[in-house]
């Protein structure tokens, strides 16, 4: 049987978005995000992070810096009984990337490359899966990968494009998790 997954944007969805953040001391979970992730994990969803990290491409920090931060986040979540299956990241930027990072790739959201990789690697049933993020590019990546998009209000401003899109918007990851839990109990 295939697995169900929650694909998650990181900055603005799981942690407070601080531009080009890579230092552990700057990392701060969004209020109730850990509790929301625990609910989703306990409902049997594989939790997979898909995050654009143009700060690497711009030379602000390294892939190693990002991996250290992601490991810190994963270790903190393990303490609450939550397993992140994998953190996929896109270091590229077609316009502002430097060197090998300056390219128009298939992984940068709104393209679906990271999600498609996760779907394949973890044998995901897209009909039972979601993409949660705080921007339209997150939602579009979900749509492009055939998973249901969800927008949360804990990061970037909700744009007119989002309001008019018909995509479900929640105040937070936690609010969405509660709704999904209640739905699964009925």
């Amino acid at each position: 049987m295939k697995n169900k997954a929650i694909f998650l944007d990181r900055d603005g969805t799981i942690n407070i978005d601080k531009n080009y953040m890579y230092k552990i001391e700057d990392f701060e979970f969004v209020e109730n995000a850990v509790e929301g992730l625990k609910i989703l994990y306990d409902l049997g969803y594989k939790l997979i992070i898909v995050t654009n990290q143009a700060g690497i491409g711009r030379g602000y920090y390294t892939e190693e810096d990002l991996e250290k931060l992601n490991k810190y986040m994963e270790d903190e979540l393990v303490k609450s009984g939550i397993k992140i299956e994998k953190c996929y990241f896109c270091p590229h930027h077609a316009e502002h990337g430097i060197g090998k990072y300056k390219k128009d790739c298939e992984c940068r959201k709104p393209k679906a490359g990271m999600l498609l990789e996760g779907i394949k690697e973890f044998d995901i049933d897209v009909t039972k899966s979601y993409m949660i993020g705080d921007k339209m590019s997150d939602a579009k990546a979900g749509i492009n990968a055939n998973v249901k998009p969800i927008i949360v209000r804990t990061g970037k401003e909700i744009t007119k494009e989002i309001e008019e899109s018909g995509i479900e918007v929640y105040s937070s990851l936690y609010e969405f998790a509660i709704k999904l839990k209640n739905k699964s109990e009925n």
Side-chain angles (χ1 to χ4, degrees):
M1 194 172 91
K2 284 183 170 266
N3 297 301
K4 58 186 180 179
I6 306 281
F7 292 94
L8 296 139
D9 170 53
R10 194 192 74 185
D11 301 324
T13 302
I14 295 174
N15 60 274
I16 294 170
D17 191 355
K18 298 172 183 173
N19 283 337
Y20 304 113
M21 182 190 58
Y22 66 94
K23 294 180 183 156
I24 288 170
E25 58 267 24
D26 293 336
F27 187 90
E28 207 179 330
F29 284 105
V30 165
E31 188 180 351
N32 294 324
V34 174
E35 295 82 352
L37 289 169
K38 179 70 172 141
I39 290 166
L40 297 170
Y41 184 75
D42 289 348
L43 288 172
Y45 286 91
K46 298 240 180 239
L47 304 178
I48 301 170
I49 293 174
V50 288
T51 177
N52 287 348
Q53 291 292 322
I56 295 169
R58 290 171 180 250
Y60 299 162
Y61 51 94
T62 66
E63 290 188 37
E64 292 73 29
D65 292 330
L66 175 70
E67 284 164 10
K68 276 185 206 153
L69 182 67
N70 284 344
K71 179 164 181 4
Y72 167 79
M73 174 189 66
E74 289 175 42
D75 290 347
E76 288 300 301
L77 292 171
V78 163
K79 293 175 188 172
S80 299
I82 301 160
K83 180 183 183 212
I84 299 294
E85 294 300 328
K86 190 162 183 177
C87 291
Y88 293 96
F89 65 93
C90 171
H92 311 113
H93 199 287
E95 206 179 319
H96 302 292
I98 298 167
K100 68 179 181 178
Y101 297 116
K102 184 180 176 100
K103 71 177 200 177
D104 187 10
C105 60
E106 289 305 309
C107 51
R108 186 171 176 77
K109 296 177 291 184
K111 292 181 183 168
M114 291 185 283
L115 286 87
L116 296 174
E117 207 174 313
I119 289 164
K120 187 176 172 190
E121 185 171 345
F122 295 100
D123 196 27
I124 302 302
D125 180 345
V126 293
T127 66
K128 294 185 177 130
S129 299
Y130 298 87
M131 170 67 213
I132 305 175
D134 65 324
K135 297 185 286 303
M136 195 63 184
S137 59
D138 298 318
K140 285 180 179 172
I143 292 164
N144 290 334
N146 293 313
V147 301
K148 185 172 172 63
I150 300 294
I151 298 274
V152 293
R153 294 180 183 273
T154 49
K156 300 288 184 217
E157 248 181 69
I158 300 300
T159 62
K160 189 173 172 144
E161 182 185 14
I162 291 170
E163 285 174 0
E164 294 173 351
S165 69
I167 294 166
E168 289 180 40
V169 177
Y170 292 85
S171 64
S172 65
L173 172 62
Y174 179 75
E175 185 196 34
F176 171 72
I178 293 290
K179 180 177 185 240
L180 204 55
K181 182 179 181 203
N182 291 340
K183 201 165 118 183
S184 73
E185 289 171 353
N186 293 333

